Amino acid sequence: PAGQGPPKGSGPPGAMGQPPPLVASQGVGSGGAGHTTAPPSKAPAMYNPTAVNSKRAGPTPAPAAQGQGETQDQMNSGAPPVGQQMGPPPGQQPGQQMGQQGAPQAQGHQNRLPPLNQGVPQAAPLQGISSGTPTKAGSQHQQQQGNQGPATPSGKSRIDPNQVPRPAAEQEELKEFRTRSLSTNSVPQASSAYRVIDDGNCSPRFMRLTVNQIPTTRELATRLAIPIAVCMQPMAEIPDGETPVQYVTDLISGPVRCRRCRGYINCHVQFVDGGRHWLCNLCGMMNSVESDYFSTLDAQGKRRDLQDRPELRYGSVDLAATQEYFNRPAMHPAYLFAIDVSANAVQTGLLAATCRAVQAAIESLAEDGGLHEDTMVGVMTFDMQLHFYNLASGQEDELPAMHVVPDIEDPFVPTPSSMVKLKEKKDAVVKLLEALPGLFQNNAYGEAAVGSALQAATQALEPNGGKVVCIFGSPPTLGAGKVSRLDDHTAVGTERERKFLCAEGTYYADLAKRCTQLQVSVDLVACTGSYADLATIGTICKLTGGQLQFIHKFDQNLHAPKLNYDIARCVVRPTAFEAVLRVRCSTGLAVENYFGSFTKTPEGDIELPATDADKSLSVLLKLESDMPSDRTAAAIQCALLYTATDGTRRIRVHTISVLATNNISTIFRAADLDSLVNFYAKQSVMEPLTLNLEAIRNKLIQNCVQILYVYRKYCATNPAPGQLILPESLKLLPLYTLGLLKNKALTSDTAIVKSDERSFLRQRLLTLSASDTSTFAYPRMFPLHNLAAHHGTLNSAGETVIPPSMSLSVEKLDPEGAYLLDNGETMIMWLGKAVPRSFLQEVFGIHNLGQNEAGRLQLFAYDNDLSRKVFAIVEQIRSKRSCFPGLQVVQQNDLAETQLFAFMVEDRAAAVVSYVDFLCHIHSQIQAKLV
């Protein structure tokens, strides 16, 4: 593995008797998605050039003792014994590599594997590579399915699958990151544990750049191949132990802004002329300082009141908005719950579970001391009619009066008292929720007018704005906005699928436009068992900053915990209402496009009736002109004008300043994989209108090929012919690209995804954070049957220690083991056929498990050590997610086992090659470009 020195049997690159390696990872600094970097004082570490996979080539020999296991090639080549390092050439510092002209190159290491063939490989098609034989754990089921499940890499490969780059195990201890060091120190991996100290740049939780050094010329930016993009999550939650965003309220004349670019003053501006002027770091404009903001400068040119000015000290601040930022009185939080009471919702238990979940959410709202005292709530129900409730009238011991709206083609709000102050009428709302399951227990109406309910809910929130949370279990097949097209399972992965990924008609887009004008955001929780055309109805979530949740075939025994969490999360997470976002850049840089869930105005602003801590967007930048020769830094500023939940109008300003350079090697060193994967994922799911699925998938592959080709051509240090060179910072780019190709949102495998699920996942990708996107592309799998003593216990940071993650291949599944897979949206616990009875007894309270019975199992914390550890690990993973990942238990050879195979990124699937073969394909494409 990277950073551990040469393994046994490996010599230096190109050593006598050893073929040049296929894969080489050249270090460009640490932080390659969690991989460690070899210390500068050590020589490059290398991959073990094992010929074939050990599971297909016989048992792996036991490791030899140090000094006794060198191969004949190593001894003939004069390579140092294992544990020793080769010294640098004369005149070269340890840890440096020399370029073609002798200039020191980026420090790091080279991880190498032998080539497949002698000479230059030809570019081969991605699909159609031989899949080899089925793997041990899944062999029986794969044979039953016609070998459509995962399989091992082709026997032609000489790459050892155990030595290719993979995500490092999550660190247990908290690391400290100072934001001023952004361009010189690697940004922490998005999913890792780190503590941010804001000393001049905003936290990477708020903004992450794909490259933390910006090219200074258009020619270099074009050559680079890495898109200059920013993953923004302006309302991201700040963990305990970090300084919260400072709220500045003492600016007498309001926020200080540049007269030309309208950027906000920040800690990167320069004060001159004794403090009477300041130089904008975005456009270079010289601005005068107002008398009420003036301060003299010290000997270092710093303002003497610097410690009292958070906006001049931190990369992120909240500025109190003055009256010029108001176009209407600031709204107060308002939440209207629209609940499906049709016969289907009653029979499946969805109605009862929804009422309990909404009641718990309202109780949580009432306990939030930071909410505005005029926070309002309301409840409406719907089936083939709409029902509003007069929550403001009636006695305490009486149910609110119901008003029925039978006209679902042109609905209206029959009572102005459908929204009430939570502080005054909480008991009335709770009483109604408790009564609803009984009121509709004999409901015979089997359909639900979802579109009509959303239109009426928007009208109910019109005076103030707010959020609609709509929970439904029946497809919207009648009333306004009814969907009429039928699902076509055979369209998945074909050209015909494009129309199913786009909305049918304009009803929901028009309603979303009206919602944006009224500052109403819509969250949908679809609990349908049949096709509901989520691509159409989900449009209203996408354009209003809302969220679409999907629970297929709702089962109250399995899905009630997820419903409780997701509804509560909709209302209690940090939220910005009636928000407008604008991104500004340094001279030369400009915004090219936005990717996410929002409405874009003709002026280029991003309108969000609501955005919250779980929402992110990607912003693609372009270099319009060469930067001035005297400019050494480039800045990006995100300004979010919003109303907080306490009713105050604020401007949240995030500023980041990074080095500008004309050195392509240092740009690669400062690349950020998590942000890059997040950008590519969002870009891919926003292109179905212009590109078909196959074109989108090919574009992802070509992006990966081009980046690695550019690195090899302009940055690699004397690469041997036939090598695939991987920059340390982006060594996992091929793996995550393959993960996106195999993901249900983009896969061409019709057997593992349906239309509604595809539409939901594509919209989900538009809002996922950088951390969640990486996990979504390459899920994490953990062994549960062999936990160490400290696994499942609390560490010094107060978090549960989870076991190291494993590679995603069914070869790793031991029939006597139990494994937990997490992709951020769902969890699957796989139980081997020979899992010990003691595990079943301690974790699930059963003695044995019959065929296809694992799906009914639920996880509880029993009074034993193993159960408590497993339960704590699952809860720790859930605590890091923006939604509630449900847990499904499957057993080896059960029918449901195919759901696990869909996440085995490294195995060959029905339509895409294995990880090892994908590396070979990338290698052949690069070689073809070089030729």
Side-chain angles (χ1 to χ4, degrees):
Q4 295 184 9
K8 291 174 170 47
S10 64
M16 183 182 301
Q18 179 179 337
L22 171 64
V23 180
S25 177
Q26 292 207 349
V28 288
S30 62
H35 280 70
T36 57
T37 306
S41 61
K42 295 184 179 180
M46 306 174 194
Y47 285 126
N48 186 0
T50 307
V52 292
N53 187 318
S54 61
K55 285 187 179 289
R56 289 182 284 107
T60 303
Q66 182 170 334
Q68 298 179 358
E70 294 82 0
T71 64
Q72 188 65 40
D73 285 342
Q74 184 181 26
M75 291 185 287
N76 291 341
S77 68
V82 175
Q84 297 183 15
Q85 304 290 341
M86 297 180 63
Q92 180 179 342
Q93 295 298 320
Q96 288 184 341
Q97 300 173 10
M98 302 301 292
Q100 295 180 356
Q101 299 181 0
Q105 300 296 316
Q107 295 181 2
H109 58 273
Q110 296 181 349
N111 298 320
R112 301 172 180 267
L113 291 168
L116 292 176
N117 305 297
Q118 299 297 326
V120 179
Q122 298 299 314
L126 178 60
Q127 301 184 18
I129 297 178
S130 173
S131 62
T133 58
T135 56
K136 177 178 67 174
S139 59
Q140 178 178 345
H141 181 74
Q142 290 169 9
Q143 292 168 359
Q144 295 172 354
Q145 297 295 322
N147 285 337
Q148 295 299 308
T152 58
S154 169
K156 298 178 182 179
S157 173
R158 298 176 62 192
I159 299 176
D160 180 5
N162 295 319
Q163 298 295 331
V164 294
R166 292 187 178 90
E170 287 77 5
Q171 64 189 41
E172 297 178 10
E173 299 301 324
L174 209 62
K175 290 188 176 181
E176 187 175 277
F177 175 71
R178 292 184 174 271
T179 58
R180 278 278 188 178
S181 65
L182 183 65
S183 291
T184 54
N185 291 333
S186 298
V187 179
Q189 183 183 355
S191 60
S192 64
Y194 60 94
R195 177 176 177 266
V196 173
I197 297 179
D198 183 348
D199 59 354
N201 278 323
C202 73
S203 166
R205 305 186 199 280
F206 297 124
M207 289 205 299
R208 299 180 75 97
L209 279 71
T210 54
V211 286
N212 291 303
Q213 291 192 25
I214 303 295
T216 55
T217 65
R218 294 183 63 187
E219 187 274 334
L220 180 57
T222 302
R223 178 192 301 173
L224 181 63
I226 302 177
I228 305 173
V230 192
C231 175
M232 295 184 175
Q233 197 173 353
M235 296 300 295
E237 286 187 282
I238 300 175
D240 295 338
E242 289 187 16
T243 304
V245 176
Q246 299 294 298
Y247 183 31
V248 181
T249 60
D250 59 352
L251 300 177
I252 300 175
S253 301
V256 182
R257 305 180 66 178
C258 175
R259 289 186 292 114
R260 180 162 61 192
C261 70
R262 304 304 292 161
Y264 293 85
I265 198 168
N266 57 81
C267 53
H268 299 285
V269 305
Q270 181 181 359
F271 285 90
V272 296
D273 193 18
R276 288 184 288 271
H277 293 86
W278 60 276
L279 188 67
C280 178
N281 63 312
L282 296 174
C283 68
M285 177 73 176
M286 189 70 70
N287 297 272
S288 59
V289 176
E290 299 294 334
S291 58
D292 57 12
Y293 196 72
F294 174 78
S295 173
T296 57
L297 307 181
D298 61 17
Q300 287 76 38
K302 303 293 185 182
R303 286 175 59 113
R304 297 187 184 277
D305 65 345
L306 184 62
Q307 296 303 314
D308 300 322
R309 294 292 184 188
E311 70 275 14
L312 301 180
R313 295 179 57 203
Y314 302 115
S316 297
V317 289
D318 268 340
L319 307 176
T322 51
Q323 197 60 41
E324 64 184 289
Y325 294 91
F326 290 73
N327 55 15
R328 68 170 195 169
M331 62 176 283
H332 42 263
Y335 305 91
L336 176 55
F337 298 93
I339 302 173
D340 182 0
V341 294
S342 65
N344 181 65
V346 174
Q347 294 166 6
T348 59
L350 175 62
L351 174 57
T354 298
C355 290
R356 290 192 296 269
V358 172
Q359 181 178 342
I362 289 177
E363 296 285 358
S364 299
L365 271 177
E367 295 171 1
D368 188 348
L371 278 181
H372 193 282
E373 61 178 7
D374 290 334
T375 296
M376 304 186 75
V377 296
V379 176
M380 66 170 290
T381 57
F382 60 93
D383 43 30
M384 296 178 69
Q385 300 174 328
L386 309 183
H387 319 113
F388 284 87
Y389 301 88
N390 189 347
L391 296 170
S393 63
Q395 303 296 323
E396 291 185 0
D397 57 346
E398 295 179 355
L399 288 177
M402 179 193 295
H403 299 265
V404 179
V405 180
D407 186 358
I408 56 176
E409 297 296 337
D410 188 17
F412 62 94
V413 180
T415 172
S417 300
S418 56
M419 299 294 298
V420 293
K421 291 183 179 181
L422 174 62
K423 184 177 180 180
E424 299 174 356
K425 293 294 181 178
K426 189 195 78 168
D427 292 341
V429 177
V430 170
K431 186 181 291 293
L432 173 62
L433 291 169
E434 292 174 344
L436 284 179
L439 289 175
F440 293 95
Q441 61 181 344
N442 298 319
N443 192 359
Y445 294 137
E447 295 181 278
V450 180
S452 304
L454 293 177
Q455 182 177 338
T458 301
Q459 296 175 20
L461 289 172
E462 181 174 347
N464 175 77
K467 179 179 284 291
V468 177
V469 182
C470 178
I471 307 98
F472 62 96
S474 299
T477 54
L478 76 165
K482 66 179 179 181
V483 295
S484 57
R485 64 181 176 188
L486 302 177
D487 190 16
D488 182 1
H489 298 295
T490 63
V492 176
T494 69
E495 181 68 24
R496 303 195 317 277
E497 188 186 17
R498 292 175 66 180
K499 73 174 185 178
F500 287 94
L501 297 178
C502 303
E504 181 184 41
T506 63
Y507 175 83
Y508 290 97
D510 294 340
L511 183 57
K513 182 178 180 180
R514 177 63 175 162
C515 287
T516 302
Q517 293 171 347
L518 300 176
Q519 301 299 337
V520 174
S521 175
V522 178
D523 288 355
L524 295 177
V525 184
C527 303
T528 55
S530 58
Y531 181 65
D533 198 356
L534 296 184
T536 295
I537 191 172
T539 303
I540 194 169
C541 302
K542 178 180 176 181
L543 298 179
T544 63
Q547 183 165 329
L548 174 65
Q549 295 284 5
F550 181 46
I551 302 176
H552 185 54
K553 294 183 178 179
F554 180 82
D555 183 328
Q556 60 178 336
N557 295 323
L558 297 177
H559 300 135
K562 176 174 176 60
L563 188 68
N564 287 340
Y565 180 91
D566 289 348
I567 291 179
R569 185 70 180 164
C570 284
V571 300
V572 301
R573 59 191 166 197
T575 302
F577 292 100
E578 50 183 345
V580 180
L581 182 142
R582 169 67 69 91
V583 176
R584 297 178 175 88
C585 311
S586 292
T587 302
L589 280 174
V591 174
E592 182 173 348
N593 206 351
Y594 294 89
F595 301 90
S597 294
F598 49 76
T599 295
K600 187 176 179 181
T601 68
E603 296 78 18
D605 290 332
I606 299 301
E607 287 192 350
L608 298 156
T611 187
D612 54 65
D614 298 332
K615 302 294 190 302
S616 76
L617 70 157
S618 281
V619 183
L620 177 63
L621 307 178
K622 62 181 177 181
L623 203 61
E624 288 188 319
S625 60
D626 294 352
M627 292 188 180
S629 57
D630 60 343
R631 184 177 289 276
T632 60
I636 299 118
Q637 186 176 85
C638 166
L640 182 74
L641 173 64
Y642 72 102
T643 299
T645 52
D646 62 359
T648 57
R649 193 78 170 142
R650 306 183 183 188
I651 305 149
R652 176 160 291 194
V653 180
H654 299 301
T655 307
I656 194 168
S657 181
V658 295
L659 295 178
T661 181
N662 60 3
N663 188 323
I664 193 171
S665 295
T666 62
I667 296 176
F668 268 95
R669 180 187 300 121
D672 182 74
L673 178 68
D674 293 310
S675 183
L676 184 62
V677 173
N678 182 271
F679 167 75
Y680 279 146
K682 285 179 168 55
Q683 184 188 51
S684 297
V685 298
M686 287 190 71
E687 290 184 325
L689 289 175
T690 57
L691 297 175
N692 60 32
L693 180 63
E694 194 59 33
I696 293 172
R697 291 161 52 81
N698 287 333
K699 184 176 179 180
L700 276 173
I701 298 170
Q702 292 308 312
N703 287 338
C704 178
V705 169
Q706 185 65 22
I707 289 174
L708 299 182
Y709 162 74
V710 168
Y711 181 80
R712 177 191 176 91
K713 184 174 182 179
Y714 297 106
C715 306
T717 55
N718 301 322
Q723 281 185 346
L724 172 62
I725 308 296
L726 300 176
E728 175 66 19
S729 60
L730 300 177
K731 65 162 56 177
L732 295 180
L733 181 59
L735 179 60
Y736 283 134
T737 300
L738 182 63
L740 289 176
L741 295 175
K742 294 187 175 183
N743 190 278
K744 289 183 179 181
L746 294 171
T747 183
S748 58
D749 188 352
T750 60
I752 66 173
V753 64
K754 305 302 179 186
S755 297
D756 269 349
E757 185 180 17
R758 170 101 84 183
S759 297
F760 158 68
L761 292 176
R762 292 172 70 89
Q763 192 165 139
R764 188 81 177 103
L765 275 174
L766 288 178
T767 62
L768 283 182
S769 66
S771 173
D772 288 344
T773 304
S774 297
T775 304
F776 196 62
Y778 188 85
R780 305 298 188 255
M781 186 166 67
F782 313 96
L784 299 177
H785 58 284
N786 55 359
L787 298 177
H790 65 291
H791 292 153
T793 62
L794 297 180
N795 60 16
S796 58
E799 296 191 342
T800 301
V801 179
I802 60 177
S805 57
M806 306 167 52
S807 56
L808 293 178
S809 172
V810 293
E811 283 191 337
K812 302 299 182 181
L813 303 179
D814 186 345
E816 298 182 357
Y819 302 86
L820 179 68
L821 182 138
D822 162 52
N823 80 329
E825 295 295 313
T826 187
M827 291 184 183
I828 298 178
M829 185 183 293
W830 184 90
L831 303 177
K833 202 66 178 177
V835 66
R837 288 190 175 185
S838 59
F839 185 91
L840 297 176
Q841 175 64 38
E842 294 181 43
V843 177
F844 294 107
I846 59 176
H847 295 286
N848 52 62
L849 189 60
Q851 191 75 17
N852 296 319
E853 293 182 356
R856 63 179 175 83
L857 295 179
Q858 293 180 267
L859 188 67
F860 300 101
Y862 293 102
D863 189 18
N864 64 76
D865 188 58
L866 179 60
S867 176
R868 284 189 290 266
K869 285 187 173 184
V870 171
F871 189 83
I873 290 171
V874 170
E875 291 303 303
Q876 173 65 25
I877 295 173
R878 282 173 171 165
S879 70
K880 300 297 183 182
R881 304 295 176 231
S882 58
C883 68
F884 185 91
L887 176 65
Q888 180 181 5
V889 183
V890 301
Q891 190 176 22
Q892 183 181 357
N893 297 334
D894 279 358
L895 294 176
E897 191 184 23
T898 54
Q899 299 186 44
L900 179 80
F901 293 159
F903 296 108
M904 296 291 102
V905 173
E906 299 190 27
D907 291 331
R908 189 187 192 279
V912 184
V913 297
S914 68
Y915 179 31
V916 171
D917 286 336
F918 186 69
L919 284 175
C920 297
H921 174 74
I922 295 293
H923 172 49
S924 68
Q925 294 284 335
I926 295 174
Q927 288 294 323
K929 281 179 171 286
L930 291 172
V931 172

